[in-house]
Amino acid sequence: MIRILALAVAALATALPAHAQKKYGPGVSDAEIRIGQTMPYSGPASAYGVIGKSQKAFFDMVNEQGGINGRKINFISLDDGYNPARTVEQTRRLVEQENVLLLFQSLGTPTNSAIHKYVNARKVPHVLIATGASKWADPKNYPWTMGFNPSYQVEARIYAQHILKTAPNAKIAVLYQNDDFGKDYVVGLKSGLGAKASMIVREVSYEVSDPTVDSQVVDLRGSGADVLLTFATPKFAAQAIRKVGDLGWKPTHYLTVVSASVGAVLQPAGLDKATGLITALYLVDPTDPEASKLAGMKAWGEWMQKYNKGADPNDQFHVNAYAAAWLLTEILKACGDDLTRENVMKQAASLKDVQIPVVIPGIRVNTTASDFATFGEMQLGRFDGKRWVPFGELLSGR
């Protein structure tokens, strides 16, 4: 009789649905989910530090509302100073000492490149990282790494499309950061121009250790170019915009979206000098007076007032931070009680037509096990001295 009862219990356990069985990876318990991140709170890219601070504020809101399926987020964000060697050190600490389930939104192309092989060898989810290098969408060779930002090559090809349509005889000058970040943009621009890549008359790079890019801008002006593309991080983008204005140079000026923040870049550069800039947008601009009519931006504004007090509401980096944290929350919710590293990647690679509330309506996230690229479409916007004004249709750079 006892044996029959035992067999019945075993059969019942086997018949229970999989979602009723809790499966936990490192950093997970009934009470918490440990998430790690490296962020440049200091150094040449410190303008991005507000992203990490905002994401902490987002997870504070999630925790106050009950967490993810009852589990609180323990968010550990460490400063790497935008120094790849420091990124390696801090990432090893997060994985080997802090025992995090996953790495989220670690920022920077050169910094993430330094840990790319390590995290994949350790099979640690390295997800929604804050960089748009094309190599983050390579599930065949790096199945544990997924980017968040639109691919830099996708963005650059969109600029190329616009130049070919509006100025087919232009002379193009390019300022780029001399690392994987800047070089990826140059590759995308040339592939987008195709047979007309000879329109590029001058390319000049800078190092993140350079004090300014003033001499580079002077050099580019001397090329006689009437179109300028600035593929730079915020500090150097602001310097370039200011110097172009000081020189009285009037090229059609395209600016990478990662440096398109009104509060963090355009205001320091001088709004008058930034007027006329063109960028490719995927996030709703918080300075747009129409933005508050969108339900997602209304919720963003309420979150800013309650959880991110003192933060600049004109700084688009806070929108960026909110978007990525919102998407990670959705991925973790989808994991249910199977919070293993394998299931995190499975859910991250199964996103279907996801409309993030603060992303431009119509631009949706789609991922599959064979395609980790999150965004394929963007919309051009022109800065009118106060805000980015979107124009034209959504463009695909895939």
Side-chain angles (χ1 to χ4, degrees), residues 37-40 78-94 103 106-116 118-119 126:
Q37 176 190 82
T38 56
M39 184 67 53
L78 304 179
D79 183 19
D80 67 0
Y82 204 65
N83 180 326
R86 181 69 171 155
T87 307
V88 171
E89 177 186 337
Q90 296 288 50
T91 300
R92 291 182 69 95
R93 172 184 162 184
L94 289 166
L103 298 167
S106 290
L107 188 140
T109 301
T111 46
N112 278 290
S113 295
I115 61 172
H116 201 188
Y118 167 77
V119 296
H126 180 216

Side-chain angles (χ1 to χ4, degrees), residues 316-380:
Q316 196 171 42
F317 293 150
H318 298 301
V319 182
N320 183 300
Y322 186 99
W326 183 92
L327 187 57
L328 179 67
T329 299
E330 293 302 299
I331 291 169
L332 292 175
K333 286 178 181 177
C335 287
D337 286 334
D338 183 356
L339 283 160
T340 57
R341 287 173 169 172
E342 291 77 11
N343 197 36
V344 168
M345 291 310 303
K346 178 182 178 181
Q347 299 305 325
S350 304
L351 301 172
K352 178 68 174 176
D353 287 333
V354 177
Q355 177 71 64
I356 300 175
V358 295
V359 165
I360 292 172
I363 298 179
R364 293 181 171 85
V365 177
N366 285 281
T367 59
T368 67
S370 60
D371 185 0
F372 280 7
T374 48
F375 299 98
E377 293 75 39
M378 303 179 79
Q379 183 173 28
L380 291 175

Side-chain angles (χ1 to χ4, degrees), residues 266-277:
L266 305 191
Q267 287 179 348
L271 296 180
D272 57 327
K273 294 180 173 65
T275 300
L277 284 170

Side-chain angles (χ1 to χ4, degrees), residues 42-234:
S42 62
S46 58
Y48 290 130
V50 298
I51 293 175
K53 294 176 181 177
S54 285
Q55 286 163 348
K56 181 184 182 305
F58 185 92
F59 294 131
D60 285 345
M61 176 185 69
V62 170
N63 288 340
E64 187 175 291
Q65 293 174 352
I68 306 291
N69 297 325
R71 302 175 184 89
K72 300 297 178 67
I73 298 293
N74 185 345
F75 184 52
I76 307 168
S77 183
L78 304 179
D79 183 19
D80 67 0
Y82 204 65
N83 180 326
R86 181 69 171 155
T87 307
V88 171
E89 177 186 337
Q90 296 288 50
T91 300
R92 291 182 69 95
R93 172 184 162 184
L94 289 166
V95 173
E96 298 171 22
Q97 297 178 35
E98 301 293 350
N99 207 34
V100 297
L101 173 66
L102 60 89
L103 298 167
F104 161 69
Q105 273 275 286
S106 290
L107 188 140
T109 301
T111 46
N112 278 290
S113 295
I115 61 172
H116 201 188
K117 291 182 179 179
Y118 167 77
V119 296
N120 277 268
R122 295 294 297 250
K123 298 183 178 180
V124 179
H126 180 216
V127 295
L128 306 184
I129 57 178
T131 157
S134 57
K135 64 184 178 182
W136 311 133
D138 183 12
K140 181 178 179 181
N141 296 304
Y142 295 97
W144 297 89
T145 297
M146 177 184 289
F148 175 72
N149 297 14
S151 161
Y152 298 146
Q153 291 191 26
V154 164
E155 183 184 344
R157 283 194 287 269
I158 286 172
Y159 298 141
Q161 289 176 34
H162 190 249
I163 293 169
L164 289 172
K165 181 178 180 180
T166 60
N169 298 312
K171 294 181 179 180
I172 301 171
V174 181
L175 174 67
Y176 69 97
Q177 189 163 294
N178 190 28
D179 57 19
D180 288 345
F181 160 73
K183 292 175 182 177
D184 223 28
Y185 273 108
V186 176
V187 169
L189 176 65
K190 290 180 177 178
S191 76
L193 292 172
K196 300 201 71 174
S198 59
M199 293 168 68
I200 301 174
V201 297
R202 186 76 171 127
E203 301 172 39
V204 177
S205 67
Y206 70 89
E207 306 294 334
V208 294
S209 56
D210 289 346
T212 76
V213 292
D214 286 0
S215 62
Q216 287 92 333
V217 174
V218 171
D219 184 339
L220 291 168
R221 183 199 184 196
S223 70
D226 50 12
V227 170
L228 171 64
L229 293 109
T230 294
F231 302 141
T233 45

Side-chain angles (χ1 to χ4, degrees), residues 287-314:
T287 65
D288 185 346
E290 298 295 310
S292 61
K293 296 180 181 179
L294 297 173
M297 289 304 290
K298 182 179 179 181
W300 175 84
E302 293 170 350
W303 164 77
M304 284 283 286
Q305 292 177 8
K306 183 174 180 180
Y307 296 94
N308 209 11
K309 293 178 180 178
D312 182 1
N314 294 321

